[in-house]
Amino acid sequence: MANVEVESLTRVFETRSRRVLALDNVNLEVEKGEVFGLLGPNGAGKTTLIRILTTLLLPTSGRAVVGGFDVVKEAKKVRGIIGFSSSSERVGFDFVTARRNLWFFSQLYGVPKSEADRRIEELASLLEFQDQLDRKLYMLTTGYKQRLNLARALINDPTVVFFDEPTNGMDVFSAKKVRELFVREARVNSRTVFLATHNMFEAEEICDRVAIIDRGRILAVDTPENLKLTLDKPVVMLETDVAGASVGDPRTLDGVVGGTVKLDSESETANIRVILRDEDYLDKVVTLLERRGVKVLGYQRLEPTLEDVFISKVGAGFAERERSLEV
Amino acid sequence: MKKLIASISLGLERELGWTFPPLVVLLGTIPATASVLIVVMIYWVGSSAAGAVDPSWIAFLVVGASLYTHFSSYIWAPISAVSEGKASYTYPLVFIAHSSLTYVTGRVIASFIESSFSAILALGLSTVAIKALLGVEPTLSFTPLSIALFALGMLVGLLAALGLGLMLAAYAIFVTRLEWGLPVYISGILMIFSEAIFPTSALPPPLHAIAESLPFTHIIRAARAALIGPPALYSAEIATASLLSATWFLAGVLVYAYSEGLGRRRGYIDLRVT
Amino acid sequence: MRSSVALWLRVAFSRAMIRVLATYGDPLWIVVNVGGPLLTSIALAFLYKFAGIPQFTGFAILGGGIAAYWGNVLWSMAAQLNWDKRSGMLYLYISSPAPLTALLVGMSLGGILGTLPSSLTVLIIGTLLFNPPFSPPTLALALIFMLTLLALYGMGIALSSLYLILGREAEEVNEALYEPVSFLSGIYFPSIGRASPLPLAIQAVASLIPLTIGMDALRRAVFFSEGVGELWPSLLTLAVMAQASIILGLKALNYVERRGRVTGDILVALR
């Protein structure tokens, strides 16, 4: 059963001077008990989609249904069955204890006191912060605040829970724990976990399915494995001298579908990661680079990642895409 | 000097840059004018009921209250420079660059410049408003000499402001929350003790000494001597004000320098404000 | 129907509770908050004394007690949603089924209870220092106080919607608004009525602010022993104003919430 259904969803932001198409005819279905990842660079439209699904924003056209309720016509019903958390909002009130903060958020959903108390204990135990429950928020470390934030998103026992870049700024160990929690919530409690992220590793590791989004358009939706399998073109990493860093857009090289260029200032080399139309173009690319004064030190065929899938669709990586949006 | 100019310019950008700068001055002038009018109305209501209205006191109140709003406005700048700076990590970086004293000084000067405009406008606006509302014209003398003497008083006030500002900045190094509490109290204390809205003689005698030790009291008296008279009082008051302001400034520098060192030893320089 | 009423009550209660806990759980907060109104009212009481009428020092003390509430309405009500928007808390409120009206009413109740220590401190210390001639509390006084607060917090709700639209300028507007409204509404001196020094036209404008009517009636009840018999026009006006400001405030809030979902930038600080 689909817990999130999105049909031909479009959202346009208009100001006096500009018109931005934030979502362009988006179609999605997310099942009950599924960890679903929305993967794309910053500015791709992930947050806009989550804002619409969490009823904060109205779509310009199209339809979205969460837990069987229309986000426009039945916004109140949607709000009752969802949870939300991101790495950017404040966790609660500084001079109030963690327990009272969680109680307050449970009351926003009308959870009875005994049920709220039970859930607070349960979540604190699950996220390992029982000993912090009676401390005021301003006394908690960042790590505990992050856990409290996750507990807050689950306090109302939501059917669908949305996380917007949840592991941003987290240490590696905490991020791992959080990812385990997402999978557990989907498997054990049959929640739909809807995750917006630009972290490829995260999407690959825990998502049952991933939608790749760029400039408001969904480019592909499938399991991470299938998405990578669809990429039938070779991915090659070329190590060059520093001159390689000034190559610019790798698509200017004949036979390159897309790629990224990164300077490794420590070893004074550049890494040019390219997706080739086919294997035969490799020699041509090397020759072209050398003709441009770039010395190729070596190359290596790589297993494709989700970013390669993204690159194969739009020609550039996340970083390049974000930079192009800033201009 | 370059550091100081950069800090003043940054401070002005922060004070005025968030919108159209004249609007900022206007937004500062409106409350300042309203404050002056409140004290004038209180005097008018009280003295009318007592049957002893003396219009010369209106000018006394206009000058004192305008300057008071000026002082109470810029004492926020050093707290903001340090506390807000700690929250945004600017202050520790300024500290590492060996310029935190200059930085705080620059921020106080910037705030002083902005609030000077508001105070002078409030002085003029409230004079006009009082004439329109009460039909009484405050007897202020605006001649080139009186304006020059008034301006000199304000400049001496800058020195006192720097002294107080640096002491407040020193406090802000150690405080980790509710940092705006102290300026509120300082502001209230100045209102009571700096002869801004009533003569020191209205205070119980043991408190007179507090009023006399504040440079602001003498700056306000000097400003009154310049704009209302008698002119003979000016030199004595401005001399006392200069002496006290210089003492405060020196004390401010010493307290700030000591607090910086202590803050560094105890790990307060980058302790975030919650 | 019953469940939405229950939810509304739960939300309002919990928001009020949080505000009260945050205030009373941190004595320093009370100390910091009381400074402004306390020292201002002491200074103004000295001014009344200097003006030759020590009996009126009570005007300044009473004004300080109410100024604590006026400050709370501006800083902890009107500006609160805008701060919540910047910190992301407003997103959490909107994406929950909690009615915003319940949150704001809860915030008002919490604000009224949370400001009580500041207001009482001003009244107690001011009375100890200046011993103004207060009349014994009456029913009229209780009614006026309650209605004045209702009207004030109704204004706070209306302003909170306006500030959401204004964005970060809200704090500057608050700064610019506090003193002029204090002046017009006569927190510290009678700005309307026979004792007012202001021209009639200004008095008429000032009377549009509920605080003006409330302060005038409070002074008459506290210092001139007027009861319901004399004060009924003020009570009636305040009741109408309180109702109007609360309705206006809630309607403005609903409008902002609807508009925010269309434009996308009113309810969330764009990153």
Side-chain angles (χ1 to χ4, degrees):
Chain A
M1 194 185 88
N3 256 345
V4 178
E5 292 170 68
V6 178
E7 283 172 32
S8 312
L9 200 75
T10 296
R11 171 71 211 203
V12 179
F13 289 104
E14 275 181 281
T15 61
R16 273 179 208 157
S17 55
R18 53 197 278 244
R19 182 177 187 277
V20 178
L21 183 60
L23 290 176
D24 183 5
N25 195 30
V26 170
N27 290 284
L28 282 178
E29 271 198 11
V30 186
E31 300 300 317
K32 183 179 174 184
E34 182 176 11
V35 180
F36 186 85
L38 190 60
L39 179 70
N42 290 325
K46 305 187 296 288
T47 300
T48 303
L49 181 55
I50 285 198
R51 282 180 184 170
I52 291 175
L53 295 176
T54 53
T55 78
L56 196 79
L57 195 63
L58 292 176
T60 307
S61 64
R63 184 168 170 265
V65 174
V66 174
F69 303 115
D70 188 294
V71 294
V72 177
K73 294 176 196 147
E74 297 167 296
K76 278 188 185 159
K77 286 181 179 161
V78 171
R79 291 169 191 176
I81 57 152
I82 59 170
F84 168 78
S85 168
S86 84
S87 55
S88 60
E89 85 267 356
R90 214 173 78 189
V91 183
F93 303 91
D94 283 341
F95 299 111
V96 176
T97 61
R99 186 189 299 279
R100 273 290 178 191
N101 266 298
L102 285 175
W103 166 79
F104 168 68
F105 285 106
S106 75
Q107 296 311 287
L108 299 186
Y109 296 86
V111 180
K113 191 180 177 307
S114 54
E115 171 69 8
D117 288 346
R118 189 188 61 76
R119 285 200 62 76
I120 291 168
E121 289 294 341
E122 192 181 295
L123 287 164
S125 149
L126 186 68
L127 289 155
E128 297 168 14
F129 67 93
Q130 293 117 304
D131 54 337
Q132 305 292 317
L133 270 175
D134 295 310
R135 298 187 76 199
K136 287 184 180 166
L137 190 61
Y138 77 88
M139 294 169 159
L140 300 190
T141 61
T142 310
Y144 282 123
K145 281 184 185 168
Q146 286 165 336
R147 293 183 206 189
L148 185 66
N149 201 15
L150 292 168
R152 188 193 45 66
L154 298 168
I155 194 73
N156 60 322
D157 198 7
T159 309
V160 184
V161 60
F162 296 91
F163 295 103
D164 192 359
E165 306 286 3
T167 53
N168 253 10
M170 264 188 200
D171 62 87
V172 180
F173 181 71
S174 301
K176 184 172 179 292
K177 281 258 180 211
V178 167
R179 288 181 196 124
E180 283 167 9
L181 173 83
F182 292 163
V183 175
R184 181 190 178 279
E185 288 302 312
R187 303 287 177 266
V188 178
N189 293 320
S190 302
R191 288 186 223 289
T192 298
V193 176
F194 194 106
L195 180 69
T197 182
H198 69 278
N199 182 333
M200 252 124 355
F201 168 75
E202 187 164 278
E204 231 171 301
E205 192 187 53
I206 61 165
C207 292
D208 298 315
R209 284 188 310 140
V210 171
I212 296 179
I213 185 168
D214 179 60
R215 299 201 173 165
R217 281 174 41 239
I218 300 288
L219 305 176
V221 189
D222 212 327
T223 62
E225 294 71 30
N226 285 347
L227 282 171
K228 287 186 283 183
L229 282 174
T230 57
L231 184 62
D232 52 359
K233 297 179 175 67
V235 180
V236 177
M237 174 73 88
L238 297 143
E239 193 187 348
T240 73
D241 62 358
V242 275
S246 53
V247 158
D249 187 347
R251 279 177 294 178
T252 53
L253 302 166
D254 194 23
V256 173
V257 175
T260 58
V261 181
K262 276 185 195 135
L263 175 69
D264 185 344
S265 45
E266 248 178 57
S267 62
E268 294 190 339
T269 56
N271 292 319
I272 305 177
R273 187 184 181 106
V274 287
I275 298 166
L276 300 171
R277 232 171 256 153
D278 63 52
E279 201 86 51
D280 300 343
Y281 280 99
L282 181 57
D283 289 341
K284 238 181 182 181
V285 167
V286 172
T287 314
L288 275 171
L289 281 172
E290 286 181 338
R291 229 182 267 164
R292 288 192 194 180
V294 178
K295 192 173 174 196
V296 178
L297 307 169
Y299 56 81
Q300 184 186 357
R301 174 100 191 238
L302 299 174
E303 282 302 311
T305 64
L306 286 179
E307 185 168 21
D308 294 321
V309 179
F310 182 84
I311 293 169
S312 73
K313 305 273 181 197
V314 301
F318 279 15
E320 289 77 12
R321 217 53 179 160
E322 284 164 12
R323 272 201 296 274
S324 73
L325 275 176
E326 284 164 13
V327 176
Chain B
M1 199 59 187
K2 267 188 187 166
K3 283 181 196 170
L4 183 65
I5 291 168
S7 305
I8 296 172
S9 144
L10 178 90
L12 284 173
E13 184 72 24
R14 173 160 178 325
E15 305 276 340
L16 304 169
W18 60 273
T19 184
F20 184 50
L23 181 67
V24 181
V25 175
L26 183 71
L27 284 176
T29 306
I30 294 170
T33 308
S35 300
V36 177
L37 291 179
I38 287 174
V39 296
V40 169
M41 294 304 151
I42 287 178
Y43 171 74
W44 191 263
V45 167
S47 58
S48 302
V53 178
D54 179 353
S56 67
W57 284 109
I58 306 273
F60 174 96
L61 291 173
V62 169
V63 176
S66 301
L67 279 176
Y68 164 73
T69 59
H70 174 50
F71 300 143
S72 67
S73 160
Y74 63 68
I75 59 174
W76 289 91
I79 294 277
S80 147
V82 177
S83 293
E84 203 181 277
K86 278 163 85 174
S88 63
Y89 216 75
T90 316
Y91 180 72
L93 294 177
V94 169
F95 176 80
I96 290 168
H98 287 288
S99 6
S100 92
L101 179 67
T102 322
Y103 172 68
V104 174
T105 305
R107 290 287 303 269
V108 175
I109 293 174
S111 184
F112 176 89
I113 294 170
E114 191 248 318
S115 82
S116 295
F117 282 115
S118 297
I120 291 166
L121 282 172
L123 186 78
L125 263 180
S126 53
T127 305
V128 174
I130 289 162
K131 196 179 171 195
L133 296 172
L134 301 177
V136 178
E137 189 159 8
T139 48
L140 298 171
S141 144
F142 292 111
T143 63
L145 179 67
S146 69
I147 292 169
L149 292 175
F150 177 76
L152 178 66
M154 283 184 89
L155 273 179
V156 174
L158 172 60
L159 205 61
L162 282 172
L164 178 60
L166 287 168
M167 285 187 242
L168 284 170
Y171 152 81
I173 291 175
F174 300 100
V175 74
T176 50
R177 65 196 182 92
L178 300 175
E179 68 286 351
W180 46 272
L182 190 62
V184 168
Y185 274 86
I186 301 273
S187 200
I189 286 168
L190 285 183
M191 196 179 194
I192 297 172
F193 292 102
S194 67
E195 206 166 80
I197 60 170
F198 54 85
T200 313
S201 56
L203 288 168
L207 301 178
H208 291 187
I210 300 176
E212 296 302 323
S213 66
L214 297 174
F216 304 102
T217 310
H218 299 281
I219 292 159
I220 289 176
R221 280 182 190 159
R224 282 193 185 116
L227 296 179
I228 307 169
L233 268 183
Y234 185 84
S235 45
E237 290 299 343
I238 201 76
T240 316
S242 306
L243 192 70
L244 283 171
S245 298
T247 313
W248 274 50
F249 175 66
L250 199 66
V253 172
L254 292 174
V255 168
Y256 184 77
Y258 174 75
S259 303
E260 233 190 5
L262 190 67
R264 186 180 170 214
R265 282 199 296 281
R266 297 197 177 163
Y268 276 90
I269 299 292
D270 60 347
L271 196 65
R272 298 290 185 98
V273 177
T274 51
Chain C
M1 180 62 189
R2 190 190 282 175
S3 67
S4 36
V5 172
L7 176 67
W8 199 97
L9 290 173
R10 269 184 196 284
V11 172
F13 174 74
S14 59
R15 188 63 188 89
M17 186 79 172
I18 286 287
R19 179 148 281 189
V20 169
L21 282 175
T23 309
Y24 289 88
D26 188 20
L28 185 61
W29 176 259
I30 298 173
V31 173
V32 161
N33 262 312
V34 79
L38 176 66
L39 295 172
T40 303
S41 61
I42 291 175
L44 298 181
F46 271 119
L47 177 57
Y48 269 118
K49 234 175 133 181
F50 164 70
I53 190 107
Q55 302 92 299
F56 283 8
T57 50
F59 287 8
I61 306 304
L62 178 70
I66 299 298
Y69 278 103
W70 172 226
N72 183 260
V73 164
L74 276 185
W75 293 107
S76 301
M77 279 295 296
Q80 186 67 45
L81 281 190
N82 194 37
W83 286 333
D84 286 342
K85 167 180 165 175
R86 282 191 241 164
S87 67
M89 290 278 275
L90 187 61
Y91 192 154
L92 302 179
Y93 296 157
I94 306 270
S95 63
S96 80
L100 269 184
T101 54
L103 279 162
L104 278 168
V105 169
M107 222 189 278
S108 307
L109 287 175
I112 289 171
L113 292 172
T115 312
L116 202 60
S118 304
S119 187
L120 283 177
T121 308
V122 175
L123 294 175
I124 292 168
I125 295 182
T127 306
L128 289 175
L129 287 177
F130 296 97
N131 195 25
F134 288 128
S135 307
T138 58
L139 172 70
L141 177 66
L143 284 173
I144 289 163
F145 182 66
M146 210 176 70
L147 286 171
T148 306
L149 289 188
L150 278 180
L152 259 183
Y153 281 85
M155 263 173 76
I157 294 176
L159 283 173
S160 68
S161 310
L162 179 71
Y163 285 10
L164 269 183
I165 299 170
L166 279 178
R168 74 169 286 247
E169 287 83 1
E171 282 148 41
E172 321 296 336
V173 176
N174 256 356
E175 292 276 7
L177 212 61
Y178 182 82
E179 290 291 339
V181 173
S182 300
F183 165 66
L184 277 178
S185 61
I187 288 188
Y188 296 107
F189 70 96
S191 65
I192 55 169
R194 267 175 300 166
S196 167
L198 300 175
L200 278 177
I202 305 279
Q203 289 193 38
V205 174
S207 302
L208 297 174
I209 307 170
L211 188 56
T212 312
I213 309 291
M215 279 311 304
D216 178 62
L218 277 174
R219 259 191 301 267
R220 285 159 60 194
V222 172
F223 301 109
F224 302 99
S225 307
E226 290 186 16
V228 177
E230 294 94 349
L231 291 172
W232 69 266
S234 302
L235 281 167
L236 195 67
T237 313
L238 270 177
V240 172
M241 280 179 152
Q243 204 181 350
S245 61
I246 290 172
I247 291 172
L248 176 79
L250 297 183
K251 281 207 177 298
L253 195 65
N254 282 333
Y255 167 78
V256 163
E257 191 183 347
R258 278 200 314 274
R259 185 88 198 116
R261 289 181 74 202
V262 175
T263 63
D265 60 350
I266 295 178
L267 303 172
V268 214
L270 295 179
R271 278 175 276 139

